[in-house]
Amino acid sequence: MARSALIIEDDADIAESVRYNLESAGFKTSVAATGESGLSMALDAHNPPAVILLDLMLPGMSGIEICRRLRRDNKTRRTPIIMLTAKAAEADRVAGLDVGADDYIGKPFSVKELLARVRAVLRRSEEDAGERYDDGRLTIDFDDVRASCDGTNVKLTHKEFMLLTTLAKKKDRVITRQQLLDQVWGYSYYGDARTLDVHIRRLRQKLDACGHCIETVVGVGYRFIGCGASGSSAKADG
């Protein structure tokens, strides 16, 4: 069965080009030319998109606001979102990633790169589905996007949860700073690496008594060591 892709783009030529190439690659596509119509189509429970390609600059509701609303809704909080943007400023790209976009691609872009990014975010989404980490103290439900420490729910942003998930799935393995930036912020992120350190610090603070589950490997990156006495969970390995 063909997977569905929703294109939210007000430039008719770009929308048509993306639609044509996605359909040629086997996707079933829908197109929205405004933010409002795109949000409505994304939240359609009868035809949920498997992936959303979202223009940053749209008439009416912006791509940033759409992404923020989609991440707040249970139906779309895990739907992969790729930002399409003509803006070159780092702040604009980071803003999209911080509100929950999985990746971004700058205009003009090549068809091969676009399709590669679509496949990559879908692959990561499918790998994350239906898994759970539990060491007796820290619990992470990857599919339901929930984390708790000692039975108390921990409220995390989308990026913070992605960081925790990425680390937990490679338990006891060192993940370099660049690997974390690539996997959580997207392969085209070339911004300030200190963004990662800020997010790790906030994540530890929010995890509170479970914050020590993330270990700093000086000069390299970070390692998830867990919080339980046994320090192991078969379901988290990957």
Side-chain angles (χ1 to χ4, degrees), residues 19-192:
R19 182 201 64 77
Y20 173 80
N21 285 287
L22 284 174
E23 290 187 354
S24 296
F27 287 86
K28 178 183 177 182
T29 64
S30 300
V31 178
T34 67
E36 289 80 2
S37 62
L39 180 63
S40 177
M41 292 170 70
L43 296 173
D44 183 358
H46 300 292
N47 186 32
V51 61
I52 298 171
L53 293 99
L54 175 61
D55 186 23
L56 181 65
M57 301 297 293
L58 290 163
M61 188 182 298
S62 72
I64 295 292
E65 180 59 24
I66 292 171
C67 190
R68 183 180 291 112
R69 294 195 187 191
L70 292 177
R71 288 304 180 228
R72 289 174 180 170
D73 193 287
N74 288 339
K75 298 187 292 295
T76 53
R77 63 185 178 184
R78 292 187 60 81
T79 303
I81 298 173
I82 299 177
M83 285 281 193
L84 307 177
T85 176
K87 287 200 169 186
E90 178 185 323
D92 295 307
R93 299 194 300 267
V94 173
L97 295 169
D98 279 345
V99 295
D102 296 273
D103 202 353
Y104 70 87
I105 183 168
K107 303 173 186 176
F109 46 78
S110 74
V111 172
K112 287 185 178 179
E113 182 181 9
L114 175 66
L115 293 176
R117 289 176 184 274
V118 168
R119 294 188 184 105
V121 296
L122 283 170
R123 184 167 58 250
R124 293 199 298 267
S125 176
E126 290 164 359
E127 288 172 352
D128 288 348
E131 299 180 34
R132 180 183 176 90
Y133 172 89
D134 189 344
D135 62 21
R137 296 197 63 196
L138 178 65
T139 300
I140 311 167
D141 191 321
F142 302 132
D143 190 38
D144 202 33
V145 195
R146 293 178 184 273
S148 63
C149 177
D150 294 333
T152 300
N153 288 334
V154 181
K155 294 183 179 180
L156 301 174
T157 66
H158 181 70
K159 274 291 178 288
E160 289 164 351
F161 188 82
M162 287 179 67
L163 262 179
L164 182 60
T165 295
T166 301
L167 287 161
K169 288 188 173 184
K170 301 292 184 181
K171 186 175 183 295
D172 294 325
R173 303 180 195 177
V174 177
I175 305 181
T176 69
R177 295 161 62 84
Q178 190 58 54
Q179 287 173 330
L180 283 169
L181 286 169
D182 287 346
Q183 293 181 49
V184 178
W185 274 264
Y187 292 101
S188 55
Y189 180 74
Y190 298 107
D192 191 340

